[in-house]
């Protein structure tokens, strides 16, 4: 519903809320979907325009487009289609192959070669396998002890600021 009052179908928020609370059935009931819920939750259930990583969430009878060939399939058939027709290799390690959704959702979170943001927010994206080294010896915003700590200097500064201290 448009937030601009001039175009709003339901300028009365109470009326709008009562409509969204109506109990409805999935529009794919004829195909076998058993879902029932509030009208306001129907869009989430159908998930007709899924974002990356959400293609398999939602009503299994909803027709969605394959992100590779743009053919439409019921969600329950999409995974088999992608596995058979569109094998996908990890673009970072080139050794993991599956369908796109599996690579993105299950492999990328642990792929050693995938760039990840530095947790110190320095703007560098080292490969996951190099993140610890980046933080301990390269990251310009990691707080480090003065190189004369052994002699009693207790100054701790971001690595990038240490040369000015010395």
């Amino acid at each position: 519903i448009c937030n601009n009052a001039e175009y709003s179908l339901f300028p009365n928020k109470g009326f709008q809320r009562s409509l969204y609370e109506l109990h409805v059935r999935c529009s794919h009931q004829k195909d076998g979907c058993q879902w029932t819920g509030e009208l306001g939750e129907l869009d989430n259930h159908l998930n007709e325009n899924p974002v990356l990583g959400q293609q398999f969430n939602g009503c299994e009878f909803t027709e969605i487009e394959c992100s590779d060939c743009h053919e439409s399939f019921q969600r329950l058939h999409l995974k088999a289609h992608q596995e058979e027709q569109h094998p996908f290799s990890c673009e970072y390690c080139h050794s993991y192959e599956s369908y796109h959704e599996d690579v993105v959702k299950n492999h990328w979170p642990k792929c050693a070669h995938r760039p990840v943001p530095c947790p110190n927010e320095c703007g560098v994206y080292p490969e996951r396998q190099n993140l610890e080294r980046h933080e301990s010896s390269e990251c310009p915003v990691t707080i480090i002890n003065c190189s004369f700590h052994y002699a009693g200097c207790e100054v701790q500064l971001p690595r990038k600021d240490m040369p000015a201290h010395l």
Side-chain angles (χ1 to χ4, degrees), residues 7-163:
Y7 300 107
S8 179
L9 295 174
F10 304 106
N12 181 328
K13 295 291 183 186
F15 181 64
Q16 178 182 354
R17 191 172 18 260
S18 63
L19 281 177
Y20 282 174
E21 291 173 353
L22 288 174
H23 201 72
V24 296
R25 294 184 177 171
C26 178
S27 51
H28 296 292
Q29 181 184 14
K30 67 186 178 324
D31 297 323
C33 183
Q34 299 297 310
W35 182 87
T36 61
E38 293 182 356
L39 178 61
E41 291 299 315
L42 182 59
D43 284 343
N44 289 337
H45 166 70
L46 294 173
N47 192 20
E48 293 176 308
N49 298 303
V51 296
L52 184 63
Q54 300 297 316
Q55 289 93 324
F56 299 109
N57 296 339
C59 178
E60 61 183 13
F61 300 100
T62 297
E63 292 268 329
I64 58 172
E65 189 177 277
C66 171
S67 57
D68 296 312
C69 67
H70 305 291
E71 286 186 59
S72 290
F73 296 89
Q74 283 184 326
R75 185 172 273 116
L76 65 107
H77 300 299
L78 182 65
K79 186 182 230 177
H81 164 77
Q82 287 187 336
E83 287 173 346
E84 294 169 14
Q85 302 297 318
H86 309 292
F88 187 79
S89 292
C90 175
E91 62 189 271
Y92 304 110
C93 69
H94 306 288
S95 63
Y96 187 89
E97 187 171 291
S98 186
Y99 59 98
H100 186 264
E101 178 80 7
D102 179 52
V103 172
V104 170
K105 220 172 168 181
N106 299 316
H107 174 67
W108 279 1
K110 59 187 177 196
C111 177
H113 295 282
R114 185 167 187 238
V116 293
C118 172
N120 295 329
E121 299 179 355
C122 71
V124 173
Y125 286 73
E127 287 186 354
R128 178 173 277 106
Q129 66 185 354
N130 299 328
L131 183 60
E132 191 175 309
R133 183 187 72 209
H134 167 76
E135 286 185 90
S136 65
S137 62
E138 300 168 356
C139 179
V141 296
T142 295
I143 303 296
I144 61 171
N145 290 324
C146 173
S147 23
F148 294 104
H149 181 74
Y150 69 91
C153 182
E154 295 182 11
V155 171
Q156 293 182 322
L157 294 169
R159 181 175 280 110
K160 65 181 171 62
D161 297 336
M162 194 54 72

Side-chain angles (χ1 to χ4, degrees), residues 3-8:
N3 287 329
N4 186 335
E6 180 180 347
Y7 300 107
S8 179

